[in-house]
Amino acid sequence: MAAGPDSDLEQGDLQRGDLEILGRIRTASNATFLARIGEVEVVYKPISGEKPLWDFPDGDLAHREVAARLVSEALGWDVVPETWLRDGPLGAGMVQRWQDVDPEQEAVDLVPVDAVPDAGWRLVFDGHDDHDRPVALIHEDTPVLRRMAVFDVVTNNADRKGGHVLAMPGGHRYGVDHGLTFHVEPKLRTVLWGWLGDPLDDDELAGLARLQAALSDGLADELTGYLTDEEIGMLVERCKRLAAAARFPSPQGQMPAVPWPLF
Ligand SMILES: Nc1ncnc2c1ncn2[C@@H]1O[C@H](COP(=O)(O)OP(=O)(O)OP(=O)(O)O)[C@@H](O)[C@H]1O
Ligand SMILES: [Mg+2]
């Protein structure tokens, strides 16, 4: 279910309450901070800290992250943690609820080729690591991760790294870092290729139908605050194509099909 405003802090407080930076997330390539609003821990990515990219316009990655959350809500799957735009000490940016992962779980993994589990996992590819050892990229074969893969197809996610799948206690998986989404050209770059060509199941088709209905019923208008008309048109088109094909797609175009680094 989509997470609504929390009982400890209402949405208005999260929007206007003092945002205090606790520290910088060092592994991140953009200026990405752990912060808090009252007792609620959040990620804060100021637009001023967005690194320019050759293939996405400047200064709107934060907007794409909010649009991704709106799509996640319309699918009804809670793929993306609550995300919104607001002001902060380094200017306007995206804010997202921090999620405490289960350090014992991995949804995506790189393992020696002879250690690929027989069941419950899907192989993406195998190859050799920096030390020439045979390794395999694998991900779990679960309904919750399949939903994320469907979400990535409709949002045209160009950056589904292993580190952008948060393994939560209890088995839920959250996706994060959705700044590179909604491009009008095919740019799906993901580590979640394990179901390539497989039919979508009824749950996945029902989610897609919910998203399509929501788009016709106000979501497309709401998205104009975050995306261009052309990008919204292509989102509608990708939904239509995926619903018609009713299968996980194959890589398209000339771009690498997996992000780099993989994690
Ligand atoms: N909402 C969240 N809850 C918990 N952890 C998060 C959340 N958002 C991000 N993280 C963690 O912080 C890391 C960096 O965040 P993110 O990937 O969004 O930043 P980035 O600047 O785009 O990084 P990069 O360009 O290196 O991918 C993530 O890989 C993840 O481990
Ligand atoms: Mg990242």
Side-chain angles (χ1 to χ4, degrees), residues 190-201:
T190 173
V191 292
L192 306 181
W193 285 113
W195 300 286
L196 195 153
D198 285 4
L200 299 181
D201 66 22

Side-chain angles (χ1 to χ4, degrees), residues 25 27-32 42-43 45 51 65 81-82 94 96-101 159 161 163-166 175-178 263:
I25 300 175
T27 53
S29 60
N30 295 293
T32 299
V42 294
V43 173
K45 294 191 194 177
K51 212 178 57 178
E65 298 229 32
E82 193 179 353
M94 80 76 120
Q96 183 175 74
R97 272 183 194 265
W98 184 261
Q99 306 294 332
D100 283 316
V101 300
D159 200 23
K161 297 176 170 141
H164 295 159
V165 181
L166 305 185
V176 297
D177 202 358
H178 300 120
F263 286 84

Side-chain angles (χ1 to χ4, degrees), residues 113-146:
V113 164
D114 54 14
V116 176
D118 289 333
W121 291 78
R122 292 274 173 146
L123 176 70
V124 180
F125 60 73
D126 46 33
H128 289 85
D129 70 7
D130 297 345
H131 305 282
D132 217 30
R133 288 174 300 218
V135 289
L137 179 67
I138 59 173
H139 61 69
E140 62 182 13
D141 186 8
T142 55
V144 67
L145 202 63
R146 286 175 59 112

Side-chain angles (χ1 to χ4, degrees), residues 33-235:
F33 300 93
L34 175 64
R36 66 172 199 196
I37 306 166
E39 296 297 302
V40 177
E41 288 189 329
V42 294
V43 173
Y44 165 51
K45 294 191 194 177
I47 292 170
S48 61
E50 290 181 5
K51 212 178 57 178
L53 296 159
W54 69 269
D55 54 349
F56 278 83
D58 290 346
D60 72 0
L61 304 190
H63 295 75
R64 294 172 193 279
E65 298 229 32
V66 176
R69 161 70 181 183
L70 293 174
V71 167
S72 158
E73 285 202 287
L75 286 163
W77 295 338
D78 198 22
V79 177
V80 183
E82 193 179 353
T83 309
W84 63 102
L85 288 179
R86 60 157 281 172
D87 218 0
L90 298 171
M94 80 76 120
V95 173
Q96 183 175 74
R97 272 183 194 265
W98 184 261
Q99 306 294 332
D100 283 316
V101 300
D102 179 352
E104 302 295 314
Q105 296 186 45
E106 291 295 351
V108 183
D109 212 352
L110 201 58
V111 297
V113 164
D114 54 14
V116 176
D118 289 333
W121 291 78
R122 292 274 173 146
L123 176 70
V124 180
F125 60 73
D126 46 33
H128 289 85
D129 70 7
D130 297 345
H131 305 282
D132 217 30
R133 288 174 300 218
V135 289
L137 179 67
I138 59 173
H139 61 69
E140 62 182 13
D141 186 8
T142 55
V144 67
L145 202 63
R146 286 175 59 112
R147 286 173 164 188
M148 190 181 298
V150 171
F151 164 89
D152 286 340
V153 174
V154 294
T155 59
N156 199 16
N157 189 358
D159 200 23
R160 177 64 68 207
K161 297 176 170 141
H164 295 159
V165 181
L166 305 185
M168 304 301 295
H172 190 63
R173 272 57 179 130
Y174 274 119
V176 297
D177 202 358
H178 300 120
L180 303 191
T181 47
F182 301 108
H183 203 285
V184 293
E185 287 156 27
K187 280 200 188 280
L188 182 59
R189 280 197 291 272
T190 173
V191 292
L192 306 181
W193 285 113
W195 300 286
L196 195 153
D198 285 4
L200 299 181
D201 66 22
D202 289 346
D203 164 76
E204 290 146 6
L205 292 171
L208 258 184
R210 276 193 297 276
L211 173 56
Q212 289 181 290
L215 282 164
S216 326
D217 190 28
L219 178 59
D221 287 338
E222 190 179 0
L223 286 170
T224 59
Y226 307 99
L227 302 173
T228 65
D229 290 348
E230 198 189 357
E231 287 165 345
I232 297 165
M234 282 310 296
L235 166 64

